Every structure is written in C-alpha cells, then in structure tokens.
Amino acid sequence: MLSSICLNWVLLVLFTGSTASESVVIGDVGQDVTVPCHYRVRGRNDITSMCWGRDKCPNSKCSRPIIWTDGWRVTEQHSSRYQLKGDLQSGDVSLTIVNAREADSGIYCCRVELPGWFNDQLINHKVVVKKARISTASPHTYTSEQTSAPGSTSESSPTVTRTWPLVSASEAPQTASAPCSGPSDCLDVTANLQNTSVSLASQQHPEPGLYIGIGSCAALLLILILALFLT
C-alpha cells in the first residue's frame, strides 16, 4: 500500500513537473518590449544558468529556445532582437525584444535552472504586441461669435451670409474711370473735363452781349414811339 502511494506521487511529480506562474506583458509595434524575470542571488554560488523559450515551460529545458545564459554571459542567441540587458550576476534575466513586431506576440517561458529535483523557477509570460492607435478625429472648425455685454442674457447672434446680386457693366454707374495708360491719355481726360466745366458755366451764366442787344432794341423802339407822337 505504501509503495503504491509513493509510486503515484513520483508519477505525479514527473508528469506535472514544477508549477509555473503566469503574467501578461503588453507592448507596441516598433518599441522595445521587456519581459521581466528575476531570481534571488545571495552569493556567487547562487548564479545559475537559465533559458528563454517561445512556448510554455516544459518539464525540462525550454521549448523553441531563443536565448541561453550560463549565469555569467549569454551562451546562445537565436536572434540579435532578443537581448538580456539586465545584470545577470544579480539575477536580472529579463528578456528585451528589440523593435517588437506583431509576430512577437505569444507565450514566452523563463526557466531558471536551480539545483535539486524539480526546483527550477518557471514563469510563463503572455506577450501582446499591438499597433499604435492612429487618431481619426476630424479637424476642429472655429467660428467667430458675437459676445454679448456682461450681464446680458441674450444669446449670441448666428452668423449670416449675404449674397449680393451681380450687376452688368452697362448697368453699373460710371463713377470712376480706369487709370491712364499714358501721358497723352491723361491730357485728353483733363481737356475734356475743362471743356465740360466751361460749357456748364456758360449755360448757368449767359454772356453780357445778349443783355446789350436787348437794351439797344428797347431804346430804338422807344425813339420810334416818341417820333410818332411828335408828328
């Protein structure tokens, strides 16, 4: 009976192995993503080997390993994009994914090999690398508003757009002429203006000769009348 219990316990340990903890790491495409992993180092004898793999931690080693270290330096490296930038000798074996891509998303296993049976430290990380969000907000439209005086309760008046009717060139009042194209044109315009002023003045003020002629006719008529009376 005791032997069967021991056998079952050994089989259970062999098949289940060490218990692995899990965490989630979220990063952005194009950025460096750091997947944390540490173990305790009290002295030089505690420094040990470890590995990173692209899958859940198996019973031993790492599935699809991407980087290995003997505790002092990196011994194997699947790609230069996978780096250990922490202080290895102090137990910082965090994985840095340089210039992360969407394809880097998935499960990563950090396995620290500790002395003894089934003593390895196992951590499964779920890494999610997503694209950065692009803002699609429409541009703001700014409109001017008429602000009422302080203390006034009236609302700002709405903006009114007026459309003026088109006027043809023949209907438009001739209030101004085009600029002179040359000195001769300017002289002609000046002469025309002077002639117009003289004609207007002559219409408003008749010449004195007209009054002299009328006076002479009246005097002759008066002399004729007196001559008839005398004869």
Side-chain angles (χ1 to χ4, degrees), residues 111-149:
R111 187 184 197 100
V112 180
E113 298 177 337
L114 301 176
W117 283 16
F118 313 112
N119 287 336
D120 291 353
Q121 175 182 311
L122 310 178
I123 304 177
N124 290 321
H125 296 276
K126 181 180 180 181
V127 177
V128 179
V129 182
K130 57 184 180 179
K131 292 182 178 179
R133 294 182 178 180
I134 301 176
S135 177
T136 57
S138 58
H140 296 286
T141 302
Y142 297 95
T143 57
S144 59
E145 297 182 354
Q146 182 178 357
T147 306
S148 58

Side-chain angles (χ1 to χ4, degrees), residues 1-12:
M1 181 69 178
L2 182 60
S3 60
S4 63
I5 293 176
C6 292
L7 180 61
N8 291 334
W9 179 81
V10 171
L11 292 175
L12 179 64

Side-chain angles (χ1 to χ4, degrees), residues 118-196:
F118 313 112
N119 287 336
D120 291 353
Q121 175 182 311
L122 310 178
I123 304 177
N124 290 321
H125 296 276
K126 181 180 180 181
V127 177
V128 179
V129 182
K130 57 184 180 179
K131 292 182 178 179
R133 294 182 178 180
I134 301 176
S135 177
T136 57
S138 58
H140 296 286
T141 302
Y142 297 95
T143 57
S144 59
E145 297 182 354
Q146 182 178 357
T147 306
S148 58
S152 175
T153 58
S154 61
E155 298 181 352
S156 59
S157 60
T159 304
V160 178
T161 302
R162 296 180 177 179
T163 303
W164 299 98
L166 297 177
V167 180
S168 62
S170 59
E171 295 177 289
Q174 303 295 328
T175 57
S177 60
C180 301
S181 59
S184 59
D185 294 340
C186 292
L187 293 175
D188 295 339
V189 172
T190 304
N192 292 334
L193 292 175
Q194 292 177 353
N195 295 333
T196 304

Side-chain angles (χ1 to χ4, degrees), residues 223-231:
I223 292 171
L224 290 175
I225 293 173
L226 290 175
L228 290 176
F229 278 108
L230 291 177
T231 56

